[in-house]
Amino acid sequence: MANLQVLVVGCGNMGASHAEAYHTMDDVDICGLVSRGRSRDVLNQQLGGGYPTFSDYEQALQHTKPDAVCLTTYPDTHEEYALLAIAAGCHVFIEKPLSTTVEGAKRVIAAAKQANRQVVVGYILRHHPSWQQFIQLARGLGKPLVMRMNLNQQSHGQMWNVHRNLMQSLSPIVDCGVHYLDVMCQMAQAEPISVSAIGARLTDDLPEHMYNYGQLQVRFADGSVGWYEAGWGPMISETAYFVKDVIGPHGSVSIMARHNEGRSDNVGGHTRTESLRLHHAALDEENNFKQPDSWIDCQDEPDHLALCLSEQRYFVQAIKQQLDLKQHLEDALNSLRIVLAADEAVRSQRTVILRSGS
């Protein structure tokens, strides 16, 4: 079988990582690199040169006629670009979120189904063995669960430019939140029923309608609850930027990660763990703990590139083996629905009630 021809659209942080993954794969060829700025040339040079580069996405589609498109552009382009790729007969790997609206995400899913094309959403934590173990341990804590997560980023320099561009269309709790709400949904395995949220605009260096700090609270049908917090900008505190903690009747489990102190805007550090700490709640007759906390070493784990390579291998497998991605896309839609409800809650200053199929 001929190698899969992939057009990489967007050559920033994630685009470069996915392109590097494709570059190492024996059954994939990069047929073009697309970006509006010079990032395509920088990436091409990093990969050794020789790849065709384009500034116009539609022209690149027509010229290269790819089998698949990897979309890592800004979120407000995701729906349009995905629909163009599907209409051109391409499979699509798309960085989260699938769209900036629930209806837009549904349109992409429907188009892919009608065209018999595969769409994989870039939920990188689903490919991380330590995060998979974190989810499994959380499921053993009993119900209900209390899930506490955040990812605050004290961004400056180029990362502040990236974040300001992202916030032209999405707030931090929406853009990053889909990852961690997806994790919460896997842990609770229950329907989300309501979302509340607060947000604050901490700089005038943003559109008037946008806020760069937010926190959401979600309730699930089984009684589980979760909160997620995200803030971007040079003013954000790094004191507690990385909290990944789950509590249940039988104890708690936490990701311990001190490796990235002072570098909260480092993309590669956001998936890293040092260890998992499992706390056992059982008490003896004198109310002393029956057993000490368990520590699970996570030092030998994949780096950011290895995780991207795992994602792309899954994408290729989905195409070649025609994997059933219905649940994958339903999960992507569900996590998007929650964070967009949180955004609505911030702006309306009220709790948003979620219903099945809404």
Side-chain angles (χ1 to χ4, degrees), residues 238 249 302 327 335:
E238 288 193 323
Q327 189 62 53
S335 59

Side-chain angles (χ1 to χ4, degrees), residues 98-155:
L98 185 53
S99 173
T100 56
T101 67
V102 171
E103 290 305 315
K106 288 180 178 178
R107 283 190 287 269
V108 173
I109 293 170
K113 181 178 180 181
Q114 183 175 6
N116 195 28
R117 298 292 89 181
Q118 299 286 61
V119 172
V120 169
V121 186
Y123 280 144
I124 197 169
L125 297 180
R126 287 186 167 226
H127 296 264
H128 197 300
S130 297
W131 280 82
Q132 292 168 355
Q133 191 170 15
F134 181 46
I135 291 167
Q136 288 302 318
L137 290 171
R139 289 176 177 172
L141 297 176
K143 291 292 189 74
L145 295 174
V146 176
M147 299 167 284
R148 312 187 306 156
M149 301 187 192
N150 76 356
L151 183 59
N152 291 311
Q153 298 181 56
Q154 190 182 91
S155 53

Side-chain angles (χ1 to χ4, degrees), residues 328-346:
H328 173 84
L329 292 172
E330 285 183 358
D331 290 345
L333 187 62
N334 204 33
S335 59
L336 179 63
R337 187 165 62 98
I338 296 171
V339 295
L340 290 177
D343 188 64
E344 181 185 344
V346 171

Side-chain angles (χ1 to χ4, degrees), residues 11 44 47 83 90 97 101-102 113 115 125 137 154 170 176 181 199 209 218 222-223 229 234 252 321 325 357:
C11 300
N44 198 19
L47 297 176
L83 291 175
C90 303
T101 67
V102 171
K113 181 178 180 181
L125 297 180
L137 290 171
Q154 190 182 91
L170 290 180
C176 284
L181 268 299
H209 68 278
V218 59
D222 67 340
E229 175 191 63
S252 60
Q321 298 181 17
L325 298 179

Side-chain angles (χ1 to χ4, degrees), residues 287-320:
N287 287 334
N288 294 315
F289 290 118
K290 288 185 175 181
Q291 62 184 114
D293 291 357
S294 304
W295 289 82
I296 301 166
D297 182 33
C298 301
Q299 297 289 336
D300 185 19
E301 62 175 15
D303 61 15
H304 186 67
L305 176 59
L307 291 171
C308 289
L309 184 58
S310 178
E311 284 189 284
Q312 296 309 328
R313 285 174 175 156
Y314 177 71
F315 180 43
V316 172
Q317 181 187 15
I319 294 170
K320 291 185 175 181

